[in-house]
Amino acid sequence: MKSPKSPGKSPRRPAPRLGPNLTLEALCEGVVCGVDEAGRGPWAGPVCAAAVILPADGGPEGIDDSKKLNAKQREAMEGEIKARALAWAVAFATVEEIAELNILHATGLAMRRAVEALSVTPVVALVDGNYRFPLPCEVRPVIGGDALSLSIAAASILAKTARDRLMVEADSLYPGYGFASNKGYNAKIHSDGLRRLGPSPIHRMAWAPVKAALAGELFDFEDEVVD
């Protein structure tokens, strides 16, 4: 008696993409861009925003929330995203605009500049967070969007890498604050520099630590995690 044949293996299905994906993009009609910012919380430097329109296949593998990637991974992904995206743009709002408008509205200004700079006009913008910024297309806020939407995650990488580069350049212009390492965020070298040197031209004068330095007051803060 012949032993029964073992059943043939079924075709292997491709593994689903882990992390952010295009589910939210697929629920929109028309061209969709993802929008995110970097630099709302630092003591110094501009706020940066990026807008990205990805191809239907999602673009390069490895796109994720920028906070989950280290600096080297973000830099590698930045080049791949720019090469594969249907359109991308990065824009800033200056320290002066932050002072004039406040950080929330300056963030919206940077986002609007990024969306308007896209070479392809989007119909819908998926924006990280819960605020409906006034952009030149329909806006859909997505809380935790950089962990859900592939387009937002791609935008988070471009915004973060662009702003980090600018702050490294600022370190050579305004030495003593550690901008190359802390990117303008809270860090001991930064607070020590403020005590010793006072604020630089790119410090946000409305921020409590900067005000304290101007007043000659001592202050102590724990270092923030920026990577």
Side-chain angles (χ1 to χ4, degrees):
M1 185 175 179
K2 294 182 179 179
S3 58
K5 294 181 180 179
S6 58
K9 293 183 178 179
S10 57
R12 179 178 294 178
R13 295 181 179 178
R17 184 191 283 264
L18 299 176
N21 54 57
L22 292 176
T23 300
L24 294 176
E25 286 84 343
L27 295 175
C28 305
E29 293 187 8
V31 177
V32 181
C33 72
V35 182
D36 203 1
E37 55 75 28
R40 284 182 67 172
W43 300 353
V47 62
C48 179
V52 178
I53 300 173
L54 291 175
D57 66 2
E61 291 292 329
I63 296 175
D64 206 342
D65 175 358
S66 64
K67 296 184 290 296
K68 296 180 181 178
L69 305 175
N70 60 39
K72 187 170 289 188
Q73 290 171 323
R74 287 194 295 266
E75 289 171 6
M77 288 308 310
E78 177 192 31
E80 293 190 44
I81 290 167
K82 289 180 176 180
R84 294 283 305 279
L86 299 180
W88 63 271
V90 172
F92 293 87
T94 66
V95 171
E96 292 77 16
E97 288 168 331
I98 293 170
E100 179 184 353
L101 301 174
N102 77 37
I103 186 59
L104 178 67
H105 292 99
T107 299
L109 175 61
M111 288 183 172
R112 189 174 79 239
R113 286 170 173 166
V115 174
E116 289 176 344
L118 289 168
S119 59
V120 178
T121 302
V123 175
V124 178
L126 300 176
V127 179
D128 185 47
N130 62 358
Y131 193 83
R132 195 177 295 273
F133 292 99
L135 301 181
C137 62
E138 180 185 346
V139 176
R140 298 189 186 182
V142 183
I143 296 174
D146 42 12
L148 299 173
S149 160
L150 207 60
S151 301
I152 294 177
S156 78
I157 292 169
L158 297 196
K160 174 68 174 165
T161 52
R163 188 182 187 280
D164 281 0
R165 259 194 307 275
L166 187 147
M167 294 307 295
V168 170
E169 293 170 3
D171 190 56
S172 62
L173 295 173
Y174 311 109
Y177 305 99
F179 289 151
S181 59
N182 60 53
K183 310 304 187 294
Y185 283 85
N186 182 355
K188 186 177 187 303
I189 186 175
H190 195 171
S191 59
D192 288 347
L194 277 170
R195 292 189 184 101
R196 188 176 71 257
L197 304 170
S200 75
I202 65 167
H203 274 96
R204 300 177 183 179
M205 300 305 182
W207 259 233
V210 180
K211 284 184 176 180
L214 283 169
E217 300 171 356
L218 295 179
F219 51 92
D220 291 295
F221 297 89
E222 294 182 2
D223 286 7
E224 292 178 353
V225 176
V226 297
D227 272 344

